[in-house]
Structures are given as C-alpha cells and as structure tokens.
Amino acid sequence: MPYPKIELHVHLEATLRPERLLEIARRNDHPLPADTVEGVRRLYEFRDFDHFIEVWILVTNALRRVDDFRQLVVDYAAEAATHGAVYVEGIFSPIERTWRGVEWDEIFTGYCDGAQEAMEAHGVQVRLAPDITRSAPLDEALTMVRYAAKYRDRGIVGIGLGGEEALYPPEPFEGAFRAAREAGLGSVPHAGEVVGPPSIWGAIKALDPVRIRHGIRAVEDAALMEEIRGRGIVLDVCPVSNLRTRAVASREQHPLPTLVAFGISCSISTDDPEMFDTDLTREYELATSFGIAPRAFYDAGVRGALCDERTRQQLDAVGRAYPWPR
C-alpha cells in the first residue's frame, strides 16, 4: 500500500484523461485538433509555458455542463486514491468558463457535487479552491469570490490566482482577496513559478496568503525566504511540473531541498498531472530523491490544508498512526 499523501495543488481541468476529454468534447460538440487518444497525448507535448497555456485553453473549453465538472472531480479522486491520497484540494478556473457562456452556478454545482461523490465513492476528502484568472478585470474577480462564498458549505475553502504570471502581477487583486478573507476563504495564489521574488513579495503584501502555489523562486532572495518561514506560509511544490514547464532546468537545480533545509514547509502536488504525464507517486519519488522524508511533506500538507479543524485533526491522526519509512 502506498503511504498516505495530501495534495494541495492540482488543477482539476488538467486531470482530464484523453479518453474522457474525447467523450466530453463529442457530447458538447466541441471541436478538437485531435480525435484519438494518441493525438490528444501529442497535444500535451509542450514547447514552453506559453504553449501550455494555449493547449490549456483549447482543452478546457470542452467543459460546459454540470456533469462535466462533477466527473472531473470523481475521476481524479479515484486516480489519487490509488497513490495514497487521503485529502485533495482541487483548483478550477470558473471565470474562463463563464467567458464561454457557462453559468456560475452550473460550474460551482458540478465541482461541489463531484467533491461530495468523491468521498462517498473513493474515500478521498476533497475541498476546492478556485483560481481567479489573472487577465480578468477586478469586477469579475469579485463576482467569483461571491460565488465561492455562496458555496462555502459545499466544500469551497479558498481563493487562488492563476494564469500568466509574467503578464499580470498580483497587486490589482488585493480587493478581491480581502473580500475572500472576510468571507472566511483562505488566500492561496500562484506566485514565484515563472517570475522571481517580486511576484512572491507582491502576493505576500497584497494578498496575505496562507499558502503560495509554487513559490520556488523564493530561493533567489534570502530575505524573502525569511519572510515565508516567519509567516509560516506553506509552499505547494510540484517538482515534475516545474521540469515540464522548464521553470526549473534540471532535477539537480530544483530548489526544493534548499527550501526545506531553510525550514520552509513544502507540500508536494501534481499541478497538471494528465498534461504533464505525472502522478502523485512520481512527484513524491522525485521529491524524496533529495533525501527528504515523505512524512515531512505529509505534515506540511496538514499544516497548509484549508480544511476545518476537525478534518485537520483527522489528517494529523492518519499521519501519526502510519509506520513511515525512515
């Protein structure tokens, strides 16, 4: 049996298997540039981060109905459970879907239905923390926060900020994240993946995060690492993803061991597993290859999870009871 894992950073749209994507695209009469599983897999051979974004838009535009969103969550819970996942915080990008004419309630209902079914069918606790799309205007970001707050009792626990980090800094979204925190939602923006320390500093000062999605480029600024450690911010690190997007040039250059040695809590996640040909087992294999015990990553997940205190205690109990490898 695989040891227990907590995943805090997975884009549910990017868990879509080629077989399911083709099924959904046909059902929704959405054209794709490939009509076979092999053709879809070739689409996922990314040249760089910008190419990844192009393919992301193409693929996710197939998702249009409540059942599409529900199925994403249930399918991924089944997959994650085989790797030992006991708790997953899923990310989705509702603003992008509304731009294609999908209703807000259809999106949130689908994902929340999926989270409930995931627990019933696969024993995986799923919470949800949707991303504000960086290219969206503030009024749409605020609308997303209102809907997230509306679905808090159905598993929405936080708000993120995603998209093209190099083009859109975090500071303009300060008001949206303030509204989210006032509504009881955690702040978990992307920062420090393809842009360096200024992006992370901006996220910390403007968005008051409890976690940062990625944050690996904090290693370029000692004062920033001190700030992250002092605030107890958990970084969601996705090692294979970082190599696939070329945010990190090689395994040997990955900042994870430096961050952990400095005393920064780092959880391990897949980010975009189907698109990057990875899974939780591969991510943990790479992360532990640096000589870091898997228990450290699990405990970071417990600290960083946006769940209620009762669930946190349950997760902590799982970690304490497991006979971890030394």
Side-chain angles (χ1 to χ4, degrees), residues 38 47 70 92 112 153 157 161 187 189 203 282 286 325:
E38 294 74 20
R47 297 187 300 271
R70 179 197 61 78
F92 61 99
C112 292
D153 63 350
V157 292
L161 181 66
S187 169
R282 290 179 210 172
L286 179 51

Side-chain angles (χ1 to χ4, degrees), residues 169-184:
E171 287 86 349
F173 297 97
E174 182 174 2
F177 277 80
R178 186 186 311 113
R181 294 194 305 274
E182 290 171 353

Side-chain angles (χ1 to χ4, degrees), residues 192-269:
E193 179 186 15
V194 297
V195 177
S199 173
I200 304 173
W201 277 117
I204 289 174
K205 292 176 179 178
L207 310 183
D208 192 17
V210 295
R211 292 202 324 269
I212 291 176
R213 290 170 170 165
H214 296 296
I216 54 173
R217 293 191 60 180
V219 294
E220 299 168 20
D221 184 336
L224 177 55
M225 289 203 294
E226 290 274 10
E227 185 78 13
I228 290 170
R229 182 176 64 184
R231 287 174 175 256
I233 294 171
V234 174
L235 302 186
D236 299 344
V237 181
C238 309
V240 174
S241 165
N242 299 149
L243 297 175
R244 293 280 194 267
T245 62
R246 297 175 176 81
V248 176
S250 69
R251 174 201 172 277
E252 292 71 25
Q253 293 174 266
H254 202 285
L256 178 61
T258 302
L259 293 165
V260 171
F262 195 80
I264 293 172
S265 292
C266 296
S267 69
I268 299 300
S269 296

